[in-house]
């Protein structure tokens, strides 16, 4: 969504033409359509989006030289399914066949690049690509990432894996773009992954300072709509007379010369910034082309006039798709500069406009989106296993696929760059939440059906008749591990009884612990230690009692934990600290808490024998809400009034020692006399059971809010680590990026904030402190040894633009995010943190179903996807193009993705390539009969995928190891391999 003032067009004199060849201009008609932002998807469909595709289809069909690129699939699919007539569909098929209507990116949305997770980026692209390939037999090969706020190094890697030939970005730091423009360095070959290097590099075009919109200022007119003859879209309804506000002057005999002069001057200005004689001239902007007859009928004569006078102007113009532009650049056969794995984050548009606030905006939405994604992944694997084991089971496959598709769509939609970013209006945020929650409830129904219904006639439901004896205080719990790793972990079940005993499916007592809940006075937390195989579920029986239990048979192995309360400490009394330290130990750590402050004092890693001084507490940045008083913070931008100030005046602490987990609850009070706390940290220190439980994982859940207005709250972890303010954060959960602290003339604080999607850490020569997260946050190291995470924001400002679009962030919610903390040597934490981040995201699902065999991958591989997409296309391209397009969903084709978690050289053992036999690995699911390797989104057979090879100074011939011999595959560091699998049918 664009909302910045355009740089005024410089007064450029007509330049003498020094080259014989005129500048070749590729006019690319497009409409930027936000999948939610200010208006909901339905409002946008009604006001303009449906009209874009209806009128563009009609207008392209009238003249052979016209072109259009379609970007956001959600709008196109809604139009195709609910608006397009048979005649429109026939026209679209013809236009696509002729290459005059081109699908770019092809995902459901133009996803954000800063706060999205790799899993969800792949999902939303796969969702769109499957539809396009099924419907038209086309596979997008170029990107158009014109509006995400900054550019990640993961995106070019994923686009290369999906078979793209070139990548296009726009929003990068203003001063960097300026330097790149002056030095003609806006185009380069990007090697986004340090491990995959040239194997998945991609040519990248950075748009110039005018970005994706046509310059809007016309020197001969008082209208600021430039080359948009259809004017400005109207909400809620299009005007009945077809006259929109701000329609540009029409192109007539009187105006054509002035239009031509303006356009040619702009083309020449741009041409000076690029190395070839080709100019990409995007024609369009937000919500354009809803009345495209007006657009084309004005541009046609203008372009004709310029071409008739091309010798005089030194310019030719032609309608083009993006592929036609990139084809011309590719054929220029230049040697391109290389860019390594650095990214373009954070993004600033002006000295006081660092777009680092959105890393933390709308924490609730960010959390719900990630939970829904995790639930979807678990449901996909379960349904896949069910279909393979019980193809004729009673769970209706069409019904199941509908439930999964609804959640695929909801999770895809919210990845939009005004969705999960939190930069949308409150109405649109509510729409995303509603779609996610409704679809999530549907998948809950699917999970319940997979559990409750007998799987076939010979196998009764796992609950049987004995499970719910009337009046018995019993509850069955099924814990499902959605990962292809064995795990021993603790699950937390909220219960209403003070006493409970837990038994496994063999009737054996299971270690458990019960205590008063951290967040409610009327419930209890029941912690159960569970051991689960990869993709395996186990059943547990909980027997409750209202009385204290007596004897092992009644109590099982449940420990009843009681808390010790420490008196409230006011910060004004913190004169002498560190005199009374209280240890909390497990086999990995010794945590020392200071009874004079009720704060953490230090952590000792017992295995590495290292002690780090460390405190954790909450601080606030206060921000300005009045534009007359200085820079503001808003949904997008973070601009603090000064350094952070302490967010509390008193701290209370309670420690609950346990046999499964010891819990430390710290409550932070805004004022000394406050009855209710505003902030809290609940730290869970797990006990070890032999070598089975991950004792290095310190789980912290926070509670924050409601905040005061114009306040941004951080969790500050201050340590004795000498990190020199250097920080490491992840790009989309795929790879870690080094963030060196930089000083700027303006806004240094905000410009040293970075997105943390799954992980962040600081380190020195001896130790590393790692945080992994269940949702995206902003993160920074503002002082030596400090790691601060921005968790929550509540803002209001009087910027007329924000008020007009209701883009303020008056978020009064109470949020409860989770981080896991680890401390250890660099080599020890390197082995752990990526798996830990995945385990936090994909915690065991507490639900019911029967018990299959386990599926286990080596420790450096991760099962990224195991699903039944339902696509009806043939995986043989030639067959698919000649077949009937209305076949039934295919329930037998399974989509499998496996990812190598480690970078090259990160660990002496775990960074090695891994060879596995998929037939052996997947035997717990069924017998693999057919295995076929595909591109990332599944639409290309890997053997037929030939990407363009761009010339670079060190052009290397790469040999791809895409050979599968007898089901054996080798996966190299950071590789993601995608397969279609068919299992042998089972006869019961």
């Amino acid at each position: 969504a664009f909302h910045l003032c355009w740089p005024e067009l410089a007064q450029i004199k007509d330049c003498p033409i020094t080259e014989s060849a005129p500048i070749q201009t590729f006019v690319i008609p497009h409409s930027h359509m936000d999948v939610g932002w200010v208006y909901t998807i339905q409002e946008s469909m009604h006001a303009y989006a449906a009209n874009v595709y209806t009128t563009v289809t009609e207008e392209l069909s009238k003249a052979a030289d016209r072109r259009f690129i379609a970007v956001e699939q959600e709008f196109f699919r809604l139009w195709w399914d609910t608006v397009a007539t048979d005649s429109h569909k026939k026209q679209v098929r013809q236009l696509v066949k002729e290459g005059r209507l081109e699908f770019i990116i092809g995902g459901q949305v133009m996803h954000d690049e800063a706060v999205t997770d790799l899993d969800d980026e792949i999902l939303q692209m796969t969702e769109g690509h499957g539809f396009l390939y099924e419907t038209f037999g086309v596979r997008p090969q170029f990107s158009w990432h014109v509006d995400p706020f900054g550019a990640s190094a993961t995106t070019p890697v994923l686009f290369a894996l999906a078979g793209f030939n070139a990548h296009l970005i726009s929003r990068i730091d203003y001063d960097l773009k300026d330097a790149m423009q002056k030095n003609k360095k806006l185009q380069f070959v990007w090697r986004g992954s340090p491990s995959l290097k040239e194997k998945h590099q991609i040519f990248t075009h950075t748009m110039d300072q005018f970005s994706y919109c046509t310059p809007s200022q016309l020197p001969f007119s008082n209208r600021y709509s430039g080359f948009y003859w259809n004017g400005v879209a109207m909400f809620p309804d299009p005007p009945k007379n077809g006259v929109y506000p701000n329609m540009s002057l029409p192109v007539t005999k009187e105006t054509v010369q002035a239009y031509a002069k303006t356009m040619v001057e702009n083309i020449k200005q741009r041409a000076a910034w690029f190395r070839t004689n080709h100019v990409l001239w995007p024609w369009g902007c937000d919500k354009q082309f809803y009345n495209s007859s007006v657009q084309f009928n004005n541009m046609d004569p203008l372009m004709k006039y310029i071409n008739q006078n091309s010798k005089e102007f030194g310019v030719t113009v032609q309608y083009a798709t993006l592929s036609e532009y990139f084809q011309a650049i590719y054929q220029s056969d230049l040697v391109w500069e290389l860019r390594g794995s650095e990214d373009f984050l954070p993004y600033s548009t002006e000295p006081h406009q660092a777009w680092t606030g959105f890393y933390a905006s709308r924490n609730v939405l960010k959390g719900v989106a990630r939970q829904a994604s995790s639930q979807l992944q678990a449901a996909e694997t379960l349904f896949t296993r069910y279909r393979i084991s019980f193809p004729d089971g009673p769970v209706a496959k069409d019904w199941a696929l509908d439930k999964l598709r609804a959640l695929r769509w909801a999770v895809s939609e919210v990845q939009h760059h005004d969705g999960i970013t939190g930069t949308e209006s409150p109405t649109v945020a509510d729409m995303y939440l509603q779609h996610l929650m409704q679809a999530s409830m549907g998948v809950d129904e699917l999970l319940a059906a997979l559990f409750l219904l007998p799987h076939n006639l010979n196998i009764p439901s796992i609950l049987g008749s004995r499970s719910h004896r009337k009046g018995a205080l019993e509850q069955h719990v099924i814990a499902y591990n959605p990962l292809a790793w064995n795990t021993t972990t603790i699950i937390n079940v909220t219960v209403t009884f003070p006493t409970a005993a837990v038994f496994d499916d063999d009737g054996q007592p299971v270690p458990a612990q019960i205590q008063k809940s951290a967040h409610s006075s009327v419930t209890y937390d029941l912690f159960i230690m569970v051991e689960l195989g990869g993709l395996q579920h186990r059943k547990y029986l909980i027997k409750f009692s209202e009385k204290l239990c007596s004897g092992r048979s009644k109590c099982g192995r449940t420990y009843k934990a009681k808390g010790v309360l420490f008196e409230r400490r006011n910060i004004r009394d913190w004169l002498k600290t560190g005199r009374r330290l209280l240890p909390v130990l497990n086999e990995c750590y010794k945590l020392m808490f200071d009874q004079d402050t009720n704060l953490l004092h230090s952590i000792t890693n017992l295995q590495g024998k290292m002690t780090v001084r460390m405190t954790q507490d909450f601080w606030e940045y206060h921000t300005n809400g009045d534009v007359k008083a200085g820079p503001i913070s808003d949904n997008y931008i973070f601009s603090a009034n000064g350094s952070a100030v302490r967010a509390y005046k008193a701290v209370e602490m309670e420690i609950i020692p346990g046999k499964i987990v010891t819990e430390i609850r710290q409550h932070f009070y805004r004022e000394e006399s406050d009855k209710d706390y505003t902030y809290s940290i609940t730290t869970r220190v797990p006990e070890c059971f032999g070598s089975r439980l991950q004792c290095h994982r310190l789980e912290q859940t926070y509670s924050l809010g409601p905040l005061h207005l114009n306040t941004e709250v951080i969790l500050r972890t201050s340590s004795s680590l000498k990190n020199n303010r250097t920080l490491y954060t992840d790009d989309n959960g795929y790879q870690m990026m080094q963030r060196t602290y930089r000083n700027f003339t303006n806004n240094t604080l905000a410009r040293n904030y970075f997105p943390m999607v799954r992980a962040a850490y600081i380190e020195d020569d001896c130790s590393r402190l790692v945080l992994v997260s269940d949702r995206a946050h902003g993160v920074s190291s503002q002082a030596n040894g400090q790691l601060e995470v921005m968790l929550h924001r509540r803002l209001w400002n009087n910027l007329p633009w924000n008020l007009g679009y209701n883009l303020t962030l008056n978020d009064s919610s109470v949020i409860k995010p989770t981080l896991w903390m680890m401390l250890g040597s660099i080599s020890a934490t390197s082995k752990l943190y990526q798996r830990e981040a995945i385990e936090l995201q994909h915690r065991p699902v507490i639900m019911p179903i029967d018990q299959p065999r386990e599926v286990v991958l080596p420790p450096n591989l991760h099962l990224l996807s195991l699903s039944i997409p339902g696509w009806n296309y043939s995986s043989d391209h030639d067959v698919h193009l000649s077949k009937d397009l209305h076949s039934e969903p295919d329930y037998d084709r399974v989509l499998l993705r496996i990812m190598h978690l480690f970078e090259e050289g990160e660990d002496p053992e775990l960074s090695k390539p891994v060879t596995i036999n998929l037939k052996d690995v997947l035997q717990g699911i069924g017998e693999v009969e057919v295995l076929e390797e595909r591109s990332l989104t599944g639409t290309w057979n890997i053997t037929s995928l030939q990407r363009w090879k761009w010339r670079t100074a060190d052009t290397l011939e790469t040999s791809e190891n895409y050979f599968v011999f007898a089901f054996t595959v080798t996966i190299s560091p950071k590789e993601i391999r995608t397969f279609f699998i068919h299992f042998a049918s089972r006869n019961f």
Side-chain angles (χ1 to χ4, degrees):
F2 211 90
H3 78 270
L4 298 171
C5 300
W6 288 108
E8 299 222 350
L9 281 175
Q11 296 302 310
I12 310 160
K13 293 177 182 165
D14 288 341
C15 309
I17 309 302
T18 51
E19 296 168 18
S20 54
I23 296 164
Q24 193 181 354
T25 311
F26 294 79
V27 175
I28 299 183
H30 76 99
S31 181
H32 183 73
M33 299 194 271
D34 288 303
V35 181
W37 173 38
V38 176
Y39 302 103
T40 66
I41 287 154
Q42 289 310 323
E43 286 170 335
S44 297
M45 278 296 286
H46 177 69
Y48 76 92
N51 285 349
V52 170
Y53 289 115
T54 300
T55 65
V56 162
T57 300
E58 290 164 359
E59 290 307 309
L60 293 189
S61 300
K62 289 177 185 173
D65 61 334
R66 293 174 175 176
R67 303 282 189 275
F68 194 79
I69 61 167
V71 182
E72 297 82 6
Q73 279 309 297
E74 177 148 346
F75 283 128
F76 180 81
R77 289 175 72 174
L78 284 169
W79 175 78
W80 183 261
D81 290 339
T82 62
V83 177
T85 62
D86 289 344
S87 165
H88 287 137
K89 289 185 177 183
K90 194 176 172 186
Q91 286 174 314
V92 167
R93 290 192 195 284
Q94 187 60 32
L95 292 166
V96 170
K97 201 172 174 183
E98 292 170 11
R100 299 201 292 117
L101 174 63
E102 183 172 69
F103 294 104
I104 299 297
I105 309 176
Q108 282 290 90
V109 298
M110 185 188 296
H111 68 251
D112 170 64
E113 297 194 43
V115 299
T116 42
D117 187 272
L118 160 91
D119 294 4
D120 305 322
E121 293 177 352
I122 295 172
L123 170 76
Q124 75 87 18
M125 278 210 302
T126 304
E127 191 66 10
H129 286 194
F131 164 77
L132 285 174
Y133 191 59
E134 254 182 5
T135 313
F136 305 110
V138 295
R139 301 174 278 210
Q141 292 174 52
F142 304 97
S143 90
W144 181 259
H145 258 224
V146 296
D147 201 29
F149 320 135
S152 146
T154 304
T155 309
V157 177
L158 295 185
F159 285 166
L161 283 162
F164 285 21
N165 286 313
H167 177 39
L168 183 147
I169 61 175
S170 182
R171 288 182 177 267
I172 64 170
D173 212 77
Y174 68 100
D175 47 6
L176 178 59
K177 182 178 276 198
D178 191 45
M180 288 166 76
Q181 261 181 199
K182 284 176 183 156
N183 299 312
K184 294 193 177 188
K185 292 191 173 184
L186 289 169
Q187 294 169 318
F188 50 88
V189 170
W190 197 353
R191 287 184 183 163
S193 161
S195 293
L196 297 175
K197 302 182 186 70
E198 71 282 349
K199 205 166 150 189
H200 291 300
Q201 66 189 24
I202 195 165
F203 178 81
T204 303
H205 171 101
T206 313
M207 284 186 148
D208 56 46
Q209 70 187 47
F210 295 102
S211 192
Y212 65 84
C213 292
T214 316
S216 56
Q217 190 200 36
L218 294 173
F220 54 89
S221 165
N222 62 355
R223 302 186 192 185
Y224 285 83
S225 50
F227 296 80
Y228 311 131
W229 294 279
N230 60 358
V232 177
M234 292 277 284
F235 287 83
D237 292 304
K240 291 195 168 46
N241 61 2
V243 178
Y244 286 80
N246 230 24
M247 292 175 80
S248 289
L249 296 171
V251 175
T252 60
K253 281 182 185 171
E254 292 73 39
T255 62
V256 71
Q257 202 173 353
Y259 266 115
K261 187 168 179 285
T262 299
M263 186 169 176
V264 166
E265 283 179 351
N266 181 256
I267 288 165
K268 287 181 176 175
Q269 184 181 5
R270 290 176 151 176
W273 298 326
F274 293 93
R275 288 178 60 199
T276 72
N277 211 25
H278 311 98
V279 169
L280 187 162
W281 205 78
W283 176 36
C285 196
D286 289 32
K287 302 183 273 295
Q288 284 295 317
F289 282 87
Y290 49 80
N291 193 352
S292 59
S293 64
V294 182
Q295 291 286 70
F296 283 112
N297 289 336
N298 280 282
M299 187 59 99
D300 286 352
L302 172 57
M303 287 171 56
K304 186 178 176 187
Y305 179 83
I306 291 172
N307 286 335
Q308 284 170 342
N309 298 282
S310 62
K311 280 202 171 141
E312 179 197 330
F313 285 130
V315 164
T316 65
V317 290
Q318 68 190 73
Y319 289 125
T321 59
L322 190 59
S323 66
E324 288 172 308
Y325 170 73
F326 276 130
Q327 190 85 44
I329 300 295
Y330 183 59
Q331 285 166 352
S332 68
D333 206 30
L334 293 182
V335 174
W336 297 99
E337 221 174 66
L338 275 169
R339 183 178 181 87
S341 57
E342 65 269 34
D343 60 14
F344 293 93
L345 291 164
Y347 164 61
S348 290
T349 45
E350 290 172 34
H352 288 286
Q353 292 202 340
W355 292 44
T356 57
F358 78 88
Y359 303 157
S361 296
R362 298 202 195 285
N363 182 284
V364 171
L365 178 63
K366 285 176 166 69
V368 171
R370 280 276 276 280
Q371 284 162 16
S373 166
S374 173
Q375 182 199 26
L376 175 63
Q377 196 255 13
E380 296 276 21
T381 57
L382 276 166
F383 178 62
T384 303
R385 298 200 66 162
Y386 178 85
R387 277 290 308 154
I388 294 161
S389 300
F390 307 106
D392 301 316
V395 176
K397 57 192 181 189
D398 293 351
W399 174 82
L401 190 60
D402 284 347
K403 298 291 182 197
L404 291 170
R405 279 178 168 164
L407 192 52
R408 287 173 194 168
W409 190 299
V411 171
S412 295
E413 162 189 284
V414 78
Q415 307 311 317
H416 167 61
H417 57 264
D418 284 302
I420 198 163
T421 51
T423 56
E424 66 279 346
S425 67
T427 322
V428 174
D430 290 345
M431 174 202 75
Y432 290 128
L433 284 168
Q434 186 188 357
H435 289 179
L436 286 164
M437 285 160 151
Q438 271 180 333
S440 205
M441 283 162 64
V443 167
D444 278 342
E445 287 174 37
L446 169 59
L447 297 176
L450 291 170
F451 162 54
L452 291 167
L453 290 169
H455 292 139
N456 68 14
L457 299 175
N458 304 325
I459 303 174
S461 157
I462 107 171
L463 281 185
S465 56
R466 61 183 178 78
S467 298
H468 285 297
R469 290 197 305 279
K470 208 169 178 186
L473 296 171
E474 289 186 1
Q475 181 184 344
H476 286 271
V477 167
I478 302 293
Y480 168 57
N481 173 18
L483 297 170
W485 303 323
N486 294 338
T487 186
T488 301
T489 190
I490 296 165
I491 61 170
N492 181 10
V493 181
T494 302
V495 297
T496 53
F497 293 96
T499 305
V502 184
F503 303 90
D504 65 16
D505 30 25
D506 296 325
Q508 295 302 307
V510 174
Q513 176 176 321
I514 194 164
Q515 62 199 43
K516 284 198 168 169
S517 169
H519 299 296
S520 159
S521 56
V522 293
T523 60
Y524 297 85
D525 288 330
L526 176 63
F527 298 105
I528 306 170
M529 198 201 80
V530 297
E531 291 181 77
L532 299 165
L535 297 189
Q536 196 181 42
H537 359 282
R538 294 191 67 181
K539 181 174 67 158
Y540 296 90
L541 171 65
I542 306 171
K543 293 186 175 180
F544 297 112
S545 170
E546 287 168 331
K547 303 172 191 154
L548 287 174
C549 64
S550 57
R552 170 117 191 218
S553 61
K554 295 255 179 75
C555 307
R557 292 174 65 190
T558 303
Y559 177 76
K560 190 153 190 179
K562 290 200 174 116
V564 181
L565 198 60
F566 295 81
E567 67 176 285
R568 193 182 292 201
R569 295 288 179 190
N570 300 329
I571 59 171
R572 62 184 165 83
D573 300 330
W574 290 1
L575 303 172
K576 290 184 178 172
T577 60
R579 298 169 304 163
R580 297 182 300 147
L581 300 179
L582 193 71
V584 174
L585 284 95
N586 69 5
E587 285 184 31
C588 292
Y589 299 115
K590 178 168 74 173
L591 285 73
M592 302 296 273
F593 287 88
D594 188 340
Q595 293 180 65
D596 292 320
T597 62
N598 285 337
L599 295 182
L600 180 65
H601 175 270
S602 66
I603 300 183
T604 301
N605 179 305
L606 298 173
Q607 286 138 339
K609 299 185 172 50
M610 61 184 76
T611 298
V612 174
R613 282 289 307 271
M614 196 186 301
T615 59
Q616 285 187 305
D617 57 357
F618 295 101
W619 294 66
E620 291 173 346
Y621 287 108
H622 295 150
T623 55
N624 169 42
D626 182 3
V627 288
K628 291 179 184 156
I632 55 157
S633 270
D634 65 9
N635 300 39
Y636 308 85
I637 292 160
F638 170 41
S639 181
N641 279 354
S643 300
V645 296
R646 196 176 261 114
Y648 60 94
K649 291 199 180 151
V651 192
E652 217 167 62
M653 179 168 69
E654 183 181 13
I655 296 181
I656 303 163
K659 291 190 175 175
I660 297 278
V661 66
T662 292
E663 197 168 84
I664 302 100
R665 301 174 183 175
Q666 293 162 292
H667 296 156
F668 296 79
Y669 295 85
R670 232 186 229 131
E671 302 297 335
E672 291 177 5
S673 57
D674 281 0
K675 187 167 145 288
D676 298 317
Y677 59 86
T678 307
Y679 309 108
S680 75
I681 305 176
T682 303
T683 305
R684 289 178 180 149
V685 182
E687 293 302 322
C688 291
F689 287 81
S691 60
R692 295 175 300 177
L693 193 65
Q694 313 284 353
C695 69
H696 51 256
R697 175 193 295 168
L698 299 169
E699 178 175 318
Q700 295 195 316
T701 303
Y702 314 93
S703 174
L704 298 92
L707 307 185
H708 286 152
L709 211 50
N710 288 330
T711 300
E712 316 193 40
V713 177
I714 58 166
L715 169 77
R716 179 177 283 175
T717 304
S718 304
S719 76
S720 55
L721 294 181
K722 295 176 175 57
N723 73 316
N724 195 27
R725 298 193 289 194
T726 296
L727 170 72
Y728 294 80
T729 76
D730 65 322
D731 264 6
N732 313 105
Y734 179 68
Q735 58 194 11
M736 298 304 291
M737 313 297 287
Q738 182 176 329
R739 313 294 193 181
T740 308
Y741 189 89
R742 294 195 294 159
N743 281 301
F744 297 93
T745 312
N746 296 300
N747 218 16
T748 291
L749 194 160
R751 290 180 83 173
N752 278 291
Y753 251 85
F754 299 91
M756 165 197 189
V757 176
R758 284 189 195 170
Y761 60 76
I762 57 173
E763 64 184 28
D764 60 17
D765 294 341
C766 307
S767 313
R768 180 188 280 171
L769 171 69
V770 184
L771 296 178
V772 298
S773 169
D774 72 341
R775 66 197 72 183
H777 303 289
V779 64
S780 187
S781 180
Q782 296 283 342
N784 203 11
Q786 263 184 20
L787 184 57
E788 61 181 53
V789 182
M790 188 180 288
L791 294 175
H792 202 9
R793 320 175 72 217
R794 184 180 182 185
L795 306 165
W796 186 89
N797 66 75
N798 59 5
L799 184 70
W801 189 88
N802 280 341
L803 292 176
Y805 285 131
N806 195 13
L807 290 175
T808 55
L809 196 67
N810 191 357
D811 183 350
S812 58
S813 58
V814 175
I815 63 160
K816 291 185 166 55
T818 295
L819 295 174
W820 287 354
M821 179 164 63
M822 284 162 286
L823 176 72
S825 67
I826 289 170
S827 62
T829 52
S830 289
K831 286 178 168 60
L832 288 171
Y833 76 88
Q834 302 191 70
R835 283 174 63 99
E836 290 295 315
I838 289 167
E839 287 192 12
L840 172 54
Q841 179 139 337
H842 299 289
R843 284 172 279 191
V845 177
I846 311 304
M847 51 157 285
I849 204 163
D850 75 350
Q851 184 181 342
R853 292 162 65 193
E854 65 190 30
V855 175
V856 181
L857 286 174
N860 44 6
L861 298 186
H862 167 45
L863 181 69
L864 204 61
S865 312
L866 180 70
S867 67
I868 294 174
W871 297 319
N872 59 39
Y873 64 75
S874 167
S875 61
D876 181 324
H877 186 60
D878 295 331
V879 172
H880 173 59
L881 291 184
S882 62
K883 79 176 184 70
D884 171 32
L885 292 166
H886 301 285
S887 55
E888 289 301 304
D890 180 346
Y891 290 95
D892 296 323
R893 178 193 292 150
V894 173
L895 175 73
L896 170 78
R897 286 192 192 95
I898 296 179
M899 174 179 168
H900 195 304
L901 289 178
F902 285 78
E903 293 284 4
E904 205 173 73
E906 188 174 9
D907 185 88
E909 283 306 312
L910 295 169
S911 289
K912 290 178 179 172
V914 189
T915 300
I916 55 173
N917 183 304
L918 287 172
K919 202 176 179 83
D920 293 346
V921 167
L922 298 171
Q923 65 181 356
I925 295 177
E927 187 189 341
V928 176
E929 217 169 44
V930 181
L931 178 69
E932 182 188 338
E933 183 150 13
R934 307 293 293 185
S935 61
L936 183 70
T937 57
T939 52
W940 290 90
N941 186 318
I942 211 75
T943 54
S944 64
L945 176 56
Q946 301 289 320
R947 292 174 61 239
W948 293 354
K949 295 197 183 319
W950 295 82
R951 289 181 63 200
T952 57
D954 70 341
T955 296
L956 307 166
E957 282 303 313
T958 58
S959 59
E960 313 285 17
N961 66 335
Y962 290 132
F963 297 108
V964 179
F965 179 71
F967 303 104
T968 298
V969 297
T970 299
I971 303 175
S972 299
K974 279 295 165 192
E975 262 195 330
I976 300 172
R977 304 278 293 267
T978 304
F979 304 91
F980 283 166
I981 292 180
H982 280 82
F983 288 87
S985 58
R986 293 187 178 183
N987 298 312
F988 289 95

